[in-house]
Amino acid sequence: MSLRVLWTGLVVVCSLWGTVQADPVEKMAGAIEASLDGRSVVLAALENHYDVAISGDVVRVKVRQTFSNPYSKPLRARYLFPLNRGAAVHAMTMRVGDEVVQAEIQEKLEAQQTFEKAAKAGKAASLLEQHRPNMFTQRIANLMPNLPISIDIEYTHTLPKVDDAYELVIPMVVGPRFQPAGAGVPPSSDGGAPVNGTASVHESGFGQWMLEQLPAYPGTAGVDLPEQVVGDRVSLSLVLETPVPLDAVVSPTHTLSVREVSSSRQEMSFAAGQVQDNRDFVLRFSLAADAPTAGLLTHWETEEGGYFSLLIEPPAEVSADQTLPREMVFLLDCSGSMSGLPMDASKRFMVAALDTLRPTDTFRIIRFSDSATEFSSQPLQATAANVARGKSYARSLHGSGGTMMTEGINQALSVPAPAGVVRNVVFLTDGYIGNEVSVLSLVKSKLGDARLFAFGVGAGVNRYLMGELGRVGRGFTRYYDPTRDEETVTAVAAQLAARLESPVLTDVAIDWGDLAVRDVLPATLPDLYAGDSIRVTGRFAQPQSGAVTVSGNTPRHRAEIRRQVELADVGQRPALRRIWARSAVAEHMHAFITPEPLRENKVTNAWLKEAVTKLGLQHEIATRWTSFVAVSRKVYNQAPEDALDADVALPKVAGVTKAAYGAPAMTGFGAPEPGLWLSLLIALATLGWWQRRAVTG
């Protein structure tokens, strides 16, 4: 008898035993409940298929989520999953029986009400909600036995150019999140201390706590559920087509089966057919021909005008300034989620980074978990002896405890850098926290003239936080997979450490000349580092041709890139309209980390929320306050009140230990009550007896 069958049977038996118990519902492992009154079960029956089309540097993704009910009772299912943090989610379709239902975009509260009304009426329904730019939940109402429901989610985004290659990332697993006390909890009605529990984001008033609320975290295979609960359930079909021949195409995360159709087109799938969703999928490719340093794409809408996307790269001949003395501040996450391979990888990075220090540099090493401590009482000169001491200290670190990230940031940035010294903060973490807004606000307020470089250590890190740390910190973000072989991990550590330089192009500006463009985003252009690029989106009222001049300061002189462009009235790239809207949403959401009195035009939180909602509805994209909801025409469940709650189990992120999933206070997990343990043991014994009797009989 397989363990998967044993567990499935065990849950069913527990629900039967629960009908004769008087105890209230008890949670087992947080959101996945094997409860005494039989109201909820584990749902492992899920399949995901990603259909990906890359055309140039624009990607379109359709992910099909298929939910199946292996039980004899109807289910209310919930699935916590990630999407790319820059994705413009613009369509959702539900398929059940012979029905195909196109989802509608609605304000979040309205969508919730639509979903609940359909659920009570016995109709099949689905609700897609965004909790972070990279974190979503899919809820399914009235999932009937032997009647699967499939959901197609469509999104688009542009591909960044990172270290001289275009990079596609498809996140596949939401890691655990540490939530500090009070984060994501509404204040009391009298303005005093926070109250327990969570409140709807639609209550009157607005506060930072709303942006830091987290959905309940499901049970995890290999942590609080048997590993066999989650198997290989993800497949991929990917078409890569570029305007010029491809050079190198590689996935550092997965083994692929590749069919080369032509020099500029390849078709790919997972070599194994299906894989487990315990790590992000990454694909990197470069072009055989030199790409332009400022490339423009356009799209035209008859009623709205034009949209454009401009990719800016630094001039190839510019090098970073290596003459300024630096204070290198190494900030290491040593919480429980970093134990094991992530901590080992961080140590390798530290050894490599310390070897790159110049004689004129000083360095500090700060570790944090529940609190922050520092290797030395003051910055140390990068002498051979001090570097050796620093390496020894780094090798002694280990991961345990909570993730009080603000403690580490305060330690790193509270003391001003010495005059004439460039402070670079090198931040190594998996980003497994829920109070992202608090952390980003703190970085923004204390950064000063320093720069922060964010390194995500793990196979499934919080890419939203990591990307924002690099943006707010005026540095860059890179990712570091500790599950690869030791030789590769060591080589990547050395490569990343060598990139800790000053930007090659600062004070970047665009002169549009006579071109009548508007709503250009981002409003403030970031600095450019070697191998990176900047994506600018905007709108135009009429077709035009003209010259665009991109300029910026190099370490030695003012550099310019001048390019003739055409703002065409050809409607061939509708994705650009959604990408612009998604960029506008991101620009508004960025403003939340700045206190209201310090914001440009003094815009309020309420205004920002309304602006994001309006963009979501007008451009039909999912946002923090707009959701997709689909409702069947037919009634499938004649007794919807009997449906059981069922969360889809998640896999443990590759390379992390059980310590990443922490204590109950960290992730919403709840330890089973003694009565439940007894019921489980009795049910297990009963199921084993049934199995033996069936075999011998």
Side-chain angles (χ1 to χ4, degrees):
M1 178 180 60
S2 71
L3 191 55
R4 180 192 294 268
V5 173
L6 177 62
W7 176 256
T8 302
L10 173 60
V11 174
V12 174
V13 173
C14 284
S15 66
L16 294 174
W17 272 82
T19 58
V20 298
Q21 301 296 319
D23 296 57
V25 176
E26 299 287 349
K27 289 187 176 181
M28 178 182 181
I32 292 194
E33 301 162 6
S35 54
L36 294 179
D37 65 352
R39 299 310 304 166
S40 53
V41 295
V42 175
L43 179 62
L46 168 83
E47 289 192 355
N48 279 329
H49 177 74
Y50 290 86
D51 192 351
V52 183
I54 300 174
S55 178
D57 60 355
V58 176
V59 60
R60 298 185 304 278
V61 179
K62 179 168 72 175
V63 53
R64 173 164 292 184
Q65 302 169 336
T66 302
F67 300 85
S68 302
N69 181 356
Y71 301 105
S72 59
K73 289 187 177 181
L75 299 179
R76 293 183 296 267
R78 189 183 69 105
Y79 177 37
L80 176 66
F81 67 98
L83 293 177
N84 188 286
R85 71 185 187 92
V89 182
H90 61 86
M92 187 177 87
T93 306
M94 179 178 72
R95 288 176 168 81
V96 52
D98 59 358
E99 289 193 71
V100 179
V101 182
Q102 191 68 39
E104 296 181 3
I105 190 76
Q106 296 179 359
E107 288 194 42
K108 194 167 191 175
L109 178 59
E110 181 184 1
Q112 290 174 345
Q113 293 171 340
T114 300
F115 176 82
E116 294 298 339
K117 181 179 178 180
K120 291 178 181 178
K123 296 183 177 181
S126 58
L127 175 65
L128 177 68
E129 295 185 296
Q130 182 194 98
H131 304 277
R132 300 290 190 276
N134 64 335
M135 183 192 294
F136 293 76
T137 51
Q138 182 72 260
R139 293 169 61 191
I140 304 293
N142 297 309
L143 178 61
M144 304 302 292
N146 302 314
L147 185 63
I149 293 179
S150 66
I151 308 295
D152 290 346
I153 300 170
E154 298 179 55
Y155 67 86
T156 186
H157 61 88
T158 54
L159 296 179
K161 199 170 186 182
V162 180
D163 296 336
D164 299 315
Y166 293 98
E167 185 171 271
L168 167 71
V169 177
I170 298 180
M172 290 193 176
V173 60
V174 176
R177 296 292 189 266
F178 175 87
Q179 191 74 300
V185 178
S188 63
S189 57
D190 60 1
V195 297
N196 293 326
T198 58
S200 169
V201 296
H202 313 288
E203 292 182 359
S204 60
F206 190 96
Q208 179 175 298
W209 63 270
M210 289 186 175
L211 300 176
E212 295 186 339
Q213 284 185 313
L214 286 172
Y217 196 81
T220 307
V223 178
D224 48 4
L225 298 174
E227 290 185 4
Q228 290 80 358
V229 166
V230 175
D232 296 340
R233 60 187 187 183
V234 180
S235 56
L236 171 75
S237 298
L238 188 150
V239 176
L240 168 60
E241 192 164 17
T242 55
V244 297
L246 288 157
D247 183 12
V249 181
V250 62
S251 171
T253 58
H254 292 76
T255 303
L256 299 177
S257 174
V258 180
R259 176 173 174 260
E260 187 170 332
V261 180
S262 68
S263 62
S264 59
R265 179 185 172 97
Q266 294 186 7
E267 298 175 354
M268 310 173 201
S269 59
F270 292 132
Q274 287 188 315
V275 299
Q276 190 171 115
D277 48 333
N278 62 348
R279 65 170 66 246
D280 296 343
F281 170 69
V282 178
L283 181 76
R284 291 173 55 81
F285 65 92
S286 56
L287 307 180
D290 290 336
T293 51
L296 186 77
L297 299 174
T298 62
H299 171 70
W300 182 261
E301 292 277 341
T302 304
E303 300 296 327
E304 300 177 14
Y307 295 84
F308 69 85
S309 172
L310 177 70
L311 183 70
I312 304 171
E313 301 175 66
E317 68 275 8
V318 175
S319 59
D321 186 356
Q322 297 189 1
T323 62
L324 295 175
R326 305 175 302 176
E327 180 191 79
M328 302 298 294
V329 183
F330 297 100
L331 181 58
L332 281 75
D333 181 350
C334 293
S335 62
S337 65
M338 292 289 289
S339 64
L341 291 180
M343 198 71 245
D344 293 341
S346 294
K347 294 176 183 181
R348 288 195 184 94
F349 178 92
M350 281 298 304
V351 170
L354 289 170
D355 279 336
T356 67
L357 296 181
R358 307 167 194 155
T360 56
D361 292 339
T362 59
F363 70 94
R364 301 162 57 196
I365 303 175
I366 301 168
R367 48 82 55 211
F368 72 89
S369 54
D370 294 317
S371 59
T373 57
E374 191 159 351
F375 167 54
S376 56
S377 58
Q378 60 185 9
L380 297 178
Q381 200 69 37
T383 64
N386 285 338
V387 167
R389 289 174 55 206
K391 290 181 181 179
S392 178
Y393 174 74
R395 291 188 180 105
S396 72
L397 297 174
H398 64 278
S400 65
T403 314
M404 299 301 294
M405 197 171 284
T406 54
E407 297 286 328
I409 292 169
N410 271 317
Q411 184 77 15
L413 296 176
S414 290
V415 179
V421 173
V422 175
R423 171 178 283 171
N424 290 338
V425 179
V426 183
F427 195 174
L428 285 82
T429 179
D430 52 25
Y432 287 162
I433 60 167
N435 61 325
E436 293 101 330
V437 175
S438 298
V439 167
L440 295 170
S441 298
L442 183 62
V443 171
K444 185 177 179 66
S445 66
K446 289 187 172 291
L447 188 68
D449 294 328
R451 293 182 183 275
L452 187 149
F453 301 87
F455 289 85
V457 185
V461 302
N462 183 354
R463 288 178 181 261
Y464 159 61
L465 175 63
M466 301 312 301
E468 287 298 284
L469 282 171
R471 182 190 67 82
V472 175
R474 300 185 302 118
F476 59 67
T477 300
R478 293 294 187 272
Y479 299 93
Y480 184 24
D481 185 350
T483 66
R484 303 175 71 182
D485 62 89
E486 184 173 341
E487 182 178 350
T488 300
V489 169
T490 301
V492 171
Q495 293 168 8
L496 293 177
R499 289 192 171 273
L500 298 174
E501 303 287 356
S502 302
V504 297
L505 205 64
T506 62
D507 302 315
V508 182
I510 303 177
D511 182 355
W512 297 97
D514 296 328
L515 297 174
V517 299
R518 63 185 178 93
D519 301 330
V520 178
L521 301 168
T524 302
L525 297 177
D527 296 335
L528 261 174
Y529 288 82
D532 278 4
S533 61
I534 300 174
R535 176 76 60 175
V536 177
T537 63
R539 304 180 66 175
F540 60 95
Q542 59 187 20
Q544 283 181 286
S545 296
V548 174
T549 303
V550 179
S551 61
N553 292 325
T554 75
R556 296 173 181 81
H557 57 81
R558 186 76 176 170
E560 287 189 353
I561 304 169
R562 186 175 175 85
R563 181 174 172 82
Q564 287 293 129
V565 300
E566 181 180 2
L567 301 177
D569 58 347
V570 179
Q572 57 186 355
R573 298 184 182 93
L576 295 184
R577 178 180 181 269
R578 301 172 186 130
I579 289 168
W580 174 86
R582 179 64 185 82
S583 298
V585 168
E587 191 83 4
H588 290 320
M589 297 304 292
H590 293 161
F592 279 110
I593 69 172
T594 303
E596 288 190 17
L598 301 180
R599 292 176 190 162
E600 187 176 351
N601 301 324
K602 302 296 189 293
V603 296
T604 64
N605 288 341
W607 185 92
L608 290 171
K609 178 182 175 182
E610 182 179 353
V612 168
T613 304
K614 183 177 179 181
L615 282 165
L617 295 175
Q618 181 179 349
H619 293 268
E620 298 184 314
I621 59 174
T623 71
R624 187 67 175 78
W625 297 291
T626 52
S627 304
F628 280 101
V629 61
V631 176
S632 68
R633 293 177 293 277
K634 298 179 181 179
V635 172
Y636 290 91
N637 186 5
Q638 299 300 326
E641 65 278 2
D642 293 336
L644 307 179
D645 293 322
D647 272 11
V648 174
L650 298 186
K652 181 165 63 70
V653 180
V656 306
T657 68
K658 291 183 178 181
Y661 293 81
M666 292 184 185
T667 53
F669 289 179
E673 295 293 325
L676 179 55
W677 280 120
L678 180 60
S679 293
L680 290 173
L681 292 172
I682 294 174
L684 179 60
T686 304
L687 182 62
W689 178 78
W690 284 345
Q691 289 285 338
R692 288 193 301 272
R693 183 178 180 184
V695 171
T696 56

